Amino acid sequence: MTVEEAGPEAAEAADPDPDDLCAAAGALVADLVHHPWGRSSPSVYETGRLVSLAPWLTGHSGRIRFLLDTQRPDGGWGAPDPGYALVPTLSATEALLSALASEGRRWPAGLYVAEVVRGAGRALRALARRLDGATAAGFPDMPAIEHITPALIEAINGHLDRLRDDPALAAWWTGGRLSPPAGMDGAFVAAAKAHLENGGAVPLKVQHALEIAGASARRAGSVRPVPLPEPVRPSAANGPGRFATVGASTAATAAWLGAPDAAPDGGAGERAARRYLEAAAEQHGGPVPVAVPVTNFERGWVLGWLARAGLAPAVPPELIAQMRASLGEDGAPGGTGLPPDADTSSGVLYALSLLGEPHPPDLLWKYETSTHFCSWPGENGRSVTTNAHVLEAFGHYLECGGEGPAGRYAASARKAASWLIGEQLNDGRWEDRWHASPLYATACAALALDEFGGPESANAVNRSVEWVLREQRPDGSWGRWCGTAEETAYAVHVLTLARPSGDAAPDPTVREAAERAVRRGDAYLRAALRSTPGALTGGLGDVDSGKPPLWHDKDLYRPTTIVRAAVLGALRLARRDTSVSVR
């Protein structure tokens, strides 16, 4: 029996020898089939929104407990970088104040209420410090941060106005109302509310953060939940259309749904939206991810990391067929409820090509600009990793024998490669708007350029290798804020795969340094896996549990299955290269 035939229980219960990487990769592929919504770390931002928007939802007390347990000693939430901490801290603070305002009088006296009050007071002081003199330019490029921030500050100030005379809170907060950073005036939020109230249509990209519209989002007639596949397979109970999401976001869905008793007879869409919220909350026992589902994004990245490292297990035909079907006229979305984008589309195209199922990449021309490829039309920023993945999609399809009209595939690959070279920073790294760590952006760009960028890319690739070598920590890991298995895996991929040959080959001393660095990185990864139950089996273990997530959405998150795939691939590469094999 193959692992994909064994079902989800076998995928999570299997415990192969730690060095049996092929079996572990097979378990990951089985998980892609049996958990099509994907797996991500719990989000402080999204969990805080459910505390406020859906206190009736199963797991409410667990969500409040999660917020209290993840608050930092300085009163904030999220990554150590204060810029990244703003949105999760605002969300958690508003959630605790909301709980006090709506439930405090009904809670029995005791430590639990005191914890919430104390946590809210510490959070308010942390926010006052962070917002003092702040400007929009001082915060990272996170999706919708310029809209989420003023919306949450307005909600927090409303709570403070109502709770001003509460003696319990007054003991912990004596300050006034909060002010948003300069440049985040909330004009878009006000316009969005009026637009919804007038029945205006809302693009899918905006629906992902529909909660910024507050009460104006409730049962908005221009927004309809999108049906979803079942969250876990196989399932004997659930029929088609049982689940539906707004914007692939529990916060957006809860904002649209409102209180479940607002429409006692609720239609099919309302019932499906509530079931979606219940299913999403089950993944972590109350807390929720920032985006769910992430089906196509997870499948493309997992299979891409595995296949590139030579860990391509048998992939069920139905999974291949679903990936091909996800590539509509405008490409594939990250998951149901999100708009198609060039990044996910390229990841799916590249993975299919690596698996021997190439699909013409013509759809990517919809995202082509005069200089580069955008993540979606009208994108405010520019993405290094999107263009790296576009280069891989065109480059590997050409290697498979495909060619576009008048050599357009090759021209598109050259455009992406040229733009990537121009975006490299002086020290040899790249940075990107979809990930907090330059290790991820550097791995994506260096590997794409090394394989498909041509001889003119060799210098950029060599510079990236040298930067990676300089960044290794004393314990053998790599990481922006601390050593992580994820970032260490990216470094190992660069040092084992990005090796120009011929006249462009790096100095022998660089190659020897790379071999030593990979050995140390491999040892760090093996130790990380040994301390993570189930990490080699495709189960639920998070190999970087307790460490800051690194991927950009409304707040930082970690796609745990994708990270496991990158780690397994790095371990395979360290063993495949005999010069750096484990001894």
Side-chain angles (χ1 to χ4, degrees):
M1 177 183 291
T2 65
V3 71
E4 61 267 23
E5 293 169 340
E9 294 79 13
E12 294 181 2
D15 187 19
D17 184 274
D19 287 329
D20 193 351
L21 299 176
C22 290
L28 278 190
V29 173
D31 199 60
L32 297 180
V33 175
H34 297 294
H35 294 85
W37 285 14
R39 300 191 191 274
S40 296
S41 59
S43 160
V44 169
Y45 169 81
E46 206 84 359
T47 299
R49 295 305 79 229
L50 282 197
V51 168
S52 294
L53 295 166
W56 44 265
L57 185 68
T58 302
H60 179 62
S61 61
R63 284 184 283 278
I64 295 177
R65 171 50 56 192
F66 170 76
L67 296 180
L68 293 172
D69 289 347
T70 54
Q71 188 174 24
R72 296 197 311 258
D74 65 2
W77 280 265
D81 185 307
Y84 282 107
L86 177 64
V87 164
T89 301
L90 285 170
S91 180
T93 304
E94 194 282 330
L96 296 182
L97 292 172
S98 176
L100 287 170
S102 63
E103 302 177 66
R105 299 294 184 271
R106 298 197 305 272
W107 283 345
L111 179 63
Y112 185 61
V113 178
E115 276 189 284
V116 175
V117 172
R118 187 163 55 248
R122 291 169 54 216
L124 287 166
R125 292 194 295 275
L127 284 172
R129 292 192 301 270
R130 182 65 187 94
L131 292 170
D132 184 26
T135 64
F139 296 95
D141 181 16
M142 302 287 283
I145 186 174
E146 70 275 29
H147 312 316
I148 290 171
T149 298
L152 286 175
I153 289 175
E154 180 182 6
I156 288 171
N157 286 335
H159 290 308
L160 292 177
D161 291 342
R162 289 187 290 274
L163 292 168
R164 185 177 293 119
D165 298 327
D166 188 312
L169 182 64
W172 291 97
W173 174 245
T174 58
R177 302 172 106 244
L178 302 178
S179 298
M184 295 185 183
D185 59 9
F188 178 88
V189 176
K193 292 178 178 179
H195 184 72
L196 279 167
E197 291 165 4
N198 292 326
V202 182
L204 282 177
K205 185 163 75 77
V206 177
Q207 288 185 29
H208 185 53
L210 187 69
E211 66 274 9
I212 65 170
S216 301
R218 191 163 301 162
R219 309 291 169 94
S222 60
V223 176
R224 302 306 303 171
V226 181
L228 283 169
E230 308 208 11
V232 178
R233 297 185 49 218
S235 172
N238 301 324
R242 181 175 170 84
F243 303 91
T245 180
V246 173
S249 162
T250 57
T253 304
W256 177 86
L257 182 61
D261 56 0
D265 298 328
E270 287 80 0
R271 292 193 297 273
R274 178 165 184 170
R275 284 190 289 264
Y276 160 76
L277 293 175
E278 291 169 344
E282 286 179 3
Q283 183 175 143
H284 297 290
V288 291
V290 70
V292 58
V294 288
T295 309
N296 301 320
F297 164 61
E298 183 180 78
R299 290 172 174 181
W301 267 243
V302 166
L303 294 173
W305 284 118
L306 294 178
R308 176 158 44 193
L311 273 176
V315 179
E318 67 172 298
L319 184 56
I320 296 290
Q322 290 167 4
M323 292 174 66
R324 294 181 72 90
S326 73
L327 294 165
E329 182 179 345
D330 295 322
T336 301
L338 296 171
D341 67 86
D343 199 29
T344 302
S345 301
S346 297
V348 172
L349 286 165
Y350 182 53
L352 287 172
S353 192
L354 286 171
L355 295 170
E357 298 283 345
H359 184 290
D362 304 41
L363 61 89
L364 293 176
W365 290 328
K366 292 179 179 290
Y367 302 92
E368 187 173 14
T369 74
S370 61
T371 57
H372 68 292
F373 287 80
C374 57
S375 299
W376 53 70
E379 181 182 21
N380 292 329
R382 298 179 175 187
S383 170
V384 163
T385 59
T386 292
N387 282 269
H389 297 137
V390 166
L391 174 56
E392 289 172 336
F394 281 115
H396 205 278
Y397 190 76
L398 283 166
E399 282 194 354
C400 292
E403 182 49 85
R408 192 173 173 188
Y409 290 162
S412 296
R414 287 194 298 272
K415 172 181 283 189
S418 176
W419 186 82
L420 285 171
I421 292 171
E423 292 296 304
Q424 189 175 30
L425 299 178
N426 290 336
D427 61 3
R429 78 185 190 278
W430 281 269
E431 294 184 346
D432 189 57
R433 64 185 316 227
W434 299 122
H435 204 281
S437 173
L439 265 302
Y440 175 71
T442 300
C444 291
L447 296 181
L449 287 171
D450 182 64
E451 191 168 6
F452 305 114
E456 56 270 31
S457 299
N459 181 57
V461 174
N462 283 333
R463 290 174 58 219
S464 72
V465 170
E466 292 168 0
W467 176 79
V468 169
L469 288 172
R470 292 195 299 271
E471 291 297 305
Q472 191 169 29
R473 291 171 172 267
D475 65 354
S477 70
W478 280 262
R480 172 174 177 172
W481 292 307
C482 61
T484 68
E486 178 183 352
E487 292 164 282
T488 301
Y490 299 146
V492 170
H493 278 265
V494 171
L495 297 179
T496 55
L497 290 177
R499 293 184 173 185
S501 58
D503 293 339
D507 185 275
T509 58
V510 174
R511 186 178 293 275
E512 292 170 3
E515 293 171 0
R516 291 192 299 271
V518 169
R519 289 193 189 98
R520 296 171 60 218
D522 177 85
Y524 177 88
L525 291 176
R526 285 185 289 125
L529 288 178
R530 281 195 299 270
S531 64
T532 307
L536 273 172
T537 69
L540 295 173
D542 180 352
V543 71
D544 279 327
S545 178
K547 297 184 178 182
L550 297 163
W551 294 72
H552 284 193
D553 201 314
K554 289 180 280 186
D555 69 348
L556 293 176
Y557 74 102
R558 180 164 45 250
T560 51
T561 305
I562 291 174
V563 170
R564 280 198 297 276
V567 169
L568 293 178
L571 291 169
R572 174 72 176 99
L573 288 168
R575 286 152 178 74
R576 189 176 70 177
D577 188 332
T578 56
S579 64
V580 293
S581 60
V582 178
R583 292 172 171 80

PDB file of all heavy atoms in Angstrom, residues 3 33 36 85 96 117 166 183 191 196 200 252 272 299 358 380 419-420 425 439 444 481 495 497:
ATOM      1  N   VAL A   3       1.765   5.340   0.542  1.00  0.00           N
ATOM      2  CA  VAL A   3       1.428   6.222   1.648  1.00  0.00           C
ATOM      3  C   VAL A   3       0.193   7.047   1.338  1.00  0.00           C
ATOM      4  O   VAL A   3      -0.594   7.375   2.216  1.00  0.00           O
ATOM      5  CB  VAL A   3       2.634   7.118   1.999  1.00  0.00           C
ATOM      6  CG1 VAL A   3       2.872   8.155   0.921  1.00  0.00           C
ATOM      7  CG2 VAL A   3       2.424   7.783   3.351  1.00  0.00           C
ATOM      8  N   VAL A  33      -2.766  15.610   0.172  1.00  0.00           N
ATOM      9  CA  VAL A  33      -4.016  15.046  -0.337  1.00  0.00           C
ATOM     10  C   VAL A  33      -5.086  15.057   0.743  1.00  0.00           C
ATOM     11  O   VAL A  33      -6.234  15.449   0.496  1.00  0.00           O
ATOM     12  CB  VAL A  33      -3.786  13.609  -0.844  1.00  0.00           C
ATOM     13  CG1 VAL A  33      -5.111  12.969  -1.254  1.00  0.00           C
ATOM     14  CG2 VAL A  33      -2.809  13.603  -2.014  1.00  0.00           C
ATOM     15  N   PRO A  36      -6.388  19.181   2.467  1.00  0.00           N
ATOM     16  CA  PRO A  36      -6.257  20.116   1.340  1.00  0.00           C
ATOM     17  C   PRO A  36      -6.318  21.589   1.731  1.00  0.00           C
ATOM     18  O   PRO A  36      -5.985  22.428   0.892  1.00  0.00           O
ATOM     19  CB  PRO A  36      -7.442  19.736   0.438  1.00  0.00           C
ATOM     20  CG  PRO A  36      -8.439  19.111   1.350  1.00  0.00           C
ATOM     21  CD  PRO A  36      -7.634  18.376   2.377  1.00  0.00           C
ATOM     22  N   ALA A  85       5.643  43.895  15.141  1.00  0.00           N
ATOM     23  CA  ALA A  85       4.799  43.669  16.315  1.00  0.00           C
ATOM     24  C   ALA A  85       3.529  44.514  16.298  1.00  0.00           C
ATOM     25  O   ALA A  85       2.587  44.218  17.040  1.00  0.00           O
ATOM     26  CB  ALA A  85       5.587  43.957  17.586  1.00  0.00           C
ATOM     27  N   LEU A  96      -8.643  41.775  23.862  1.00  0.00           N
ATOM     28  CA  LEU A  96      -8.754  41.717  25.317  1.00  0.00           C
ATOM     29  C   LEU A  96      -9.719  42.784  25.834  1.00  0.00           C
ATOM     30  O   LEU A  96     -10.512  42.537  26.746  1.00  0.00           O
ATOM     31  CB  LEU A  96      -7.377  41.886  25.954  1.00  0.00           C
ATOM     32  CG  LEU A  96      -6.352  40.776  25.660  1.00  0.00           C
ATOM     33  CD1 LEU A  96      -5.047  41.061  26.402  1.00  0.00           C
ATOM     34  CD2 LEU A  96      -6.890  39.401  26.019  1.00  0.00           C
ATOM     35  N   VAL A 117      -7.149  41.900  32.367  1.00  0.00           N
ATOM     36  CA  VAL A 117      -6.982  43.324  32.646  1.00  0.00           C
ATOM     37  C   VAL A 117      -5.499  43.698  32.636  1.00  0.00           C
ATOM     38  O   VAL A 117      -5.092  44.702  32.037  1.00  0.00           O
ATOM     39  CB  VAL A 117      -7.615  43.682  34.008  1.00  0.00           C
ATOM     40  CG1 VAL A 117      -7.273  45.124  34.403  1.00  0.00           C
ATOM     41  CG2 VAL A 117      -9.118  43.492  33.956  1.00  0.00           C
ATOM     42  N   ASP A 166     -14.019  52.212  34.453  1.00  0.00           N
ATOM     43  CA  ASP A 166     -13.866  50.892  35.062  1.00  0.00           C
ATOM     44  C   ASP A 166     -12.662  50.927  35.997  1.00  0.00           C
ATOM     45  O   ASP A 166     -11.521  51.090  35.550  1.00  0.00           O
ATOM     46  CB  ASP A 166     -13.670  49.840  33.975  1.00  0.00           C
ATOM     47  CG  ASP A 166     -13.705  48.417  34.533  1.00  0.00           C
ATOM     48  OD1 ASP A 166     -13.032  48.163  35.545  1.00  0.00           O
ATOM     49  OD2 ASP A 166     -14.393  47.571  33.946  1.00  0.00           O
ATOM     50  N   GLY A 183       0.439  59.127   8.125  1.00  0.00           N
ATOM     51  CA  GLY A 183       0.338  58.450   6.838  1.00  0.00           C
ATOM     52  C   GLY A 183      -0.634  57.296   6.835  1.00  0.00           C
ATOM     53  O   GLY A 183      -0.873  56.683   5.798  1.00  0.00           O
ATOM     54  N   ALA A 191     -13.894  54.882   3.333  1.00  0.00           N
ATOM     55  CA  ALA A 191     -14.439  54.712   1.990  1.00  0.00           C
ATOM     56  C   ALA A 191     -14.949  53.289   1.772  1.00  0.00           C
ATOM     57  O   ALA A 191     -15.986  53.083   1.122  1.00  0.00           O
ATOM     58  CB  ALA A 191     -13.368  55.056   0.954  1.00  0.00           C
ATOM     59  N   LEU A 196     -19.380  49.467   0.880  1.00  0.00           N
ATOM     60  CA  LEU A 196     -20.142  48.265   1.224  1.00  0.00           C
ATOM     61  C   LEU A 196     -21.597  48.607   1.538  1.00  0.00           C
ATOM     62  O   LEU A 196     -22.521  47.898   1.118  1.00  0.00           O
ATOM     63  CB  LEU A 196     -19.504  47.578   2.429  1.00  0.00           C
ATOM     64  CG  LEU A 196     -18.288  46.690   2.151  1.00  0.00           C
ATOM     65  CD1 LEU A 196     -17.593  46.347   3.452  1.00  0.00           C
ATOM     66  CD2 LEU A 196     -18.695  45.415   1.428  1.00  0.00           C
ATOM     67  N   GLY A 200     -21.581  48.220  -3.078  1.00  0.00           N
ATOM     68  CA  GLY A 200     -20.479  48.155  -4.034  1.00  0.00           C
ATOM     69  C   GLY A 200     -19.759  46.817  -4.007  1.00  0.00           C
ATOM     70  O   GLY A 200     -19.645  46.175  -2.959  1.00  0.00           O
ATOM     71  N   ALA A 252     -12.217  37.786   8.115  1.00  0.00           N
ATOM     72  CA  ALA A 252     -13.118  38.341   7.097  1.00  0.00           C
ATOM     73  C   ALA A 252     -14.448  37.604   7.094  1.00  0.00           C
ATOM     74  O   ALA A 252     -15.521  38.219   6.963  1.00  0.00           O
ATOM     75  CB  ALA A 252     -12.453  38.270   5.729  1.00  0.00           C
ATOM     76  N   ALA A 272     -22.711  27.535   5.807  1.00  0.00           N
ATOM     77  CA  ALA A 272     -21.414  27.070   5.306  1.00  0.00           C
ATOM     78  C   ALA A 272     -20.280  27.921   5.870  1.00  0.00           C
ATOM     79  O   ALA A 272     -19.195  27.415   6.173  1.00  0.00           O
ATOM     80  CB  ALA A 272     -21.397  27.105   3.785  1.00  0.00           C
ATOM     81  N   ARG A 299       0.869  23.221  -2.059  1.00  0.00           N
ATOM     82  CA  ARG A 299       1.225  22.127  -2.968  1.00  0.00           C
ATOM     83  C   ARG A 299       2.386  22.505  -3.877  1.00  0.00           C
ATOM     84  O   ARG A 299       3.320  21.709  -4.077  1.00  0.00           O
ATOM     85  CB  ARG A 299      -0.004  21.732  -3.788  1.00  0.00           C
ATOM     86  CG  ARG A 299      -1.072  21.029  -2.962  1.00  0.00           C
ATOM     87  CD  ARG A 299      -2.358  20.807  -3.718  1.00  0.00           C
ATOM     88  NE  ARG A 299      -3.298  20.006  -2.930  1.00  0.00           N
ATOM     89  CZ  ARG A 299      -4.501  19.637  -3.346  1.00  0.00           C
ATOM     90  NH1 ARG A 299      -4.938  20.026  -4.549  1.00  0.00           N
ATOM     91  NH2 ARG A 299      -5.274  18.902  -2.572  1.00  0.00           N
ATOM     92  N   PRO A 358       4.655  18.992 -17.458  1.00  0.00           N
ATOM     93  CA  PRO A 358       4.748  20.422 -17.773  1.00  0.00           C
ATOM     94  C   PRO A 358       3.444  20.989 -18.327  1.00  0.00           C
ATOM     95  O   PRO A 358       2.710  20.318 -19.047  1.00  0.00           O
ATOM     96  CB  PRO A 358       5.867  20.478 -18.814  1.00  0.00           C
ATOM     97  CG  PRO A 358       5.908  19.110 -19.409  1.00  0.00           C
ATOM     98  CD  PRO A 358       5.548  18.167 -18.300  1.00  0.00           C
ATOM     99  N   ASN A 380       1.280  47.254  -5.596  1.00  0.00           N
ATOM    100  CA  ASN A 380       1.954  48.472  -5.148  1.00  0.00           C
ATOM    101  C   ASN A 380       3.469  48.308  -5.107  1.00  0.00           C
ATOM    102  O   ASN A 380       4.209  49.242  -5.393  1.00  0.00           O
ATOM    103  CB  ASN A 380       1.439  48.879  -3.764  1.00  0.00           C
ATOM    104  CG  ASN A 380       0.002  49.344  -3.802  1.00  0.00           C
ATOM    105  OD1 ASN A 380      -0.446  49.896  -4.796  1.00  0.00           O
ATOM    106  ND2 ASN A 380      -0.723  49.129  -2.715  1.00  0.00           N
ATOM    107  N   TRP A 419      16.080  41.464 -14.286  1.00  0.00           N
ATOM    108  CA  TRP A 419      15.527  42.279 -13.200  1.00  0.00           C
ATOM    109  C   TRP A 419      16.037  41.787 -11.851  1.00  0.00           C
ATOM    110  O   TRP A 419      16.380  42.591 -10.975  1.00  0.00           O
ATOM    111  CB  TRP A 419      14.007  42.236 -13.260  1.00  0.00           C
ATOM    112  CG  TRP A 419      13.352  43.147 -12.271  1.00  0.00           C
ATOM    113  CD1 TRP A 419      13.134  44.489 -12.400  1.00  0.00           C
ATOM    114  CD2 TRP A 419      12.850  42.783 -10.979  1.00  0.00           C
ATOM    115  NE1 TRP A 419      12.528  44.990 -11.283  1.00  0.00           N
ATOM    116  CE2 TRP A 419      12.340  43.969 -10.384  1.00  0.00           C
ATOM    117  CE3 TRP A 419      12.775  41.589 -10.266  1.00  0.00           C
ATOM    118  CZ2 TRP A 419      11.764  43.979  -9.113  1.00  0.00           C
ATOM    119  CZ3 TRP A 419      12.211  41.601  -8.994  1.00  0.00           C
ATOM    120  CH2 TRP A 419      11.705  42.784  -8.437  1.00  0.00           C
ATOM    121  N   LEU A 420      16.107  40.477 -11.680  1.00  0.00           N
ATOM    122  CA  LEU A 420      16.605  39.915 -10.423  1.00  0.00           C
ATOM    123  C   LEU A 420      18.048  40.338 -10.161  1.00  0.00           C
ATOM    124  O   LEU A 420      18.402  40.712  -9.035  1.00  0.00           O
ATOM    125  CB  LEU A 420      16.510  38.391 -10.447  1.00  0.00           C
ATOM    126  CG  LEU A 420      15.121  37.785 -10.271  1.00  0.00           C
ATOM    127  CD1 LEU A 420      15.171  36.288 -10.539  1.00  0.00           C
ATOM    128  CD2 LEU A 420      14.588  38.056  -8.862  1.00  0.00           C
ATOM    129  N   LEU A 425      21.278  43.242  -3.574  1.00  0.00           N
ATOM    130  CA  LEU A 425      21.863  44.284  -2.742  1.00  0.00           C
ATOM    131  C   LEU A 425      23.389  44.188  -2.752  1.00  0.00           C
ATOM    132  O   LEU A 425      23.971  43.174  -3.151  1.00  0.00           O
ATOM    133  CB  LEU A 425      21.327  44.164  -1.319  1.00  0.00           C
ATOM    134  CG  LEU A 425      19.802  44.322  -1.197  1.00  0.00           C
ATOM    135  CD1 LEU A 425      19.356  44.138   0.245  1.00  0.00           C
ATOM    136  CD2 LEU A 425      19.343  45.663  -1.734  1.00  0.00           C
ATOM    137  N   LEU A 439      17.182  35.263   3.845  1.00  0.00           N
ATOM    138  CA  LEU A 439      17.606  33.917   3.438  1.00  0.00           C
ATOM    139  C   LEU A 439      16.635  33.332   2.425  1.00  0.00           C
ATOM    140  O   LEU A 439      17.040  32.657   1.469  1.00  0.00           O
ATOM    141  CB  LEU A 439      17.708  33.009   4.661  1.00  0.00           C
ATOM    142  CG  LEU A 439      19.073  32.843   5.346  1.00  0.00           C
ATOM    143  CD1 LEU A 439      20.124  32.320   4.396  1.00  0.00           C
ATOM    144  CD2 LEU A 439      19.505  34.115   6.030  1.00  0.00           C
ATOM    145  N   CYS A 444      15.623  31.823  -3.190  1.00  0.00           N
ATOM    146  CA  CYS A 444      14.776  31.810  -4.387  1.00  0.00           C
ATOM    147  C   CYS A 444      15.502  32.417  -5.578  1.00  0.00           C
ATOM    148  O   CYS A 444      15.523  31.846  -6.682  1.00  0.00           O
ATOM    149  CB  CYS A 444      13.471  32.565  -4.115  1.00  0.00           C
ATOM    150  SG  CYS A 444      12.352  31.762  -2.961  1.00  0.00           S
ATOM    151  N   TRP A 481      16.418  36.670  13.310  1.00  0.00           N
ATOM    152  CA  TRP A 481      16.292  37.029  14.723  1.00  0.00           C
ATOM    153  C   TRP A 481      16.910  35.980  15.640  1.00  0.00           C
ATOM    154  O   TRP A 481      17.370  36.283  16.726  1.00  0.00           O
ATOM    155  CB  TRP A 481      14.815  37.220  15.074  1.00  0.00           C
ATOM    156  CG  TRP A 481      14.221  38.416  14.404  1.00  0.00           C
ATOM    157  CD1 TRP A 481      14.695  39.701  14.439  1.00  0.00           C
ATOM    158  CD2 TRP A 481      13.050  38.454  13.583  1.00  0.00           C
ATOM    159  NE1 TRP A 481      13.894  40.526  13.687  1.00  0.00           N
ATOM    160  CE2 TRP A 481      12.869  39.794  13.152  1.00  0.00           C
ATOM    161  CE3 TRP A 481      12.125  37.494  13.169  1.00  0.00           C
ATOM    162  CZ2 TRP A 481      11.810  40.183  12.336  1.00  0.00           C
ATOM    163  CZ3 TRP A 481      11.071  37.874  12.353  1.00  0.00           C
ATOM    164  CH2 TRP A 481      10.927  39.211  11.948  1.00  0.00           C
ATOM    165  N   LEU A 495      23.957  26.623  -0.742  1.00  0.00           N
ATOM    166  CA  LEU A 495      25.354  26.166  -0.723  1.00  0.00           C
ATOM    167  C   LEU A 495      25.551  24.845  -1.450  1.00  0.00           C
ATOM    168  O   LEU A 495      26.677  24.528  -1.859  1.00  0.00           O
ATOM    169  CB  LEU A 495      25.832  26.043   0.723  1.00  0.00           C
ATOM    170  CG  LEU A 495      25.862  27.358   1.519  1.00  0.00           C
ATOM    171  CD1 LEU A 495      26.318  27.103   2.944  1.00  0.00           C
ATOM    172  CD2 LEU A 495      26.762  28.387   0.838  1.00  0.00           C
ATOM    173  N   LEU A 497      23.364  23.761  -4.127  1.00  0.00           N
ATOM    174  CA  LEU A 497      22.830  23.805  -5.500  1.00  0.00           C
ATOM    175  C   LEU A 497      23.384  24.958  -6.326  1.00  0.00           C
ATOM    176  O   LEU A 497      23.536  24.823  -7.546  1.00  0.00           O
ATOM    177  CB  LEU A 497      21.299  23.892  -5.471  1.00  0.00           C
ATOM    178  CG  LEU A 497      20.552  22.654  -4.999  1.00  0.00           C
ATOM    179  CD1 LEU A 497      19.052  22.935  -4.951  1.00  0.00           C
ATOM    180  CD2 LEU A 497      20.825  21.468  -5.917  1.00  0.00           C
TER     181      LEU A 497
END
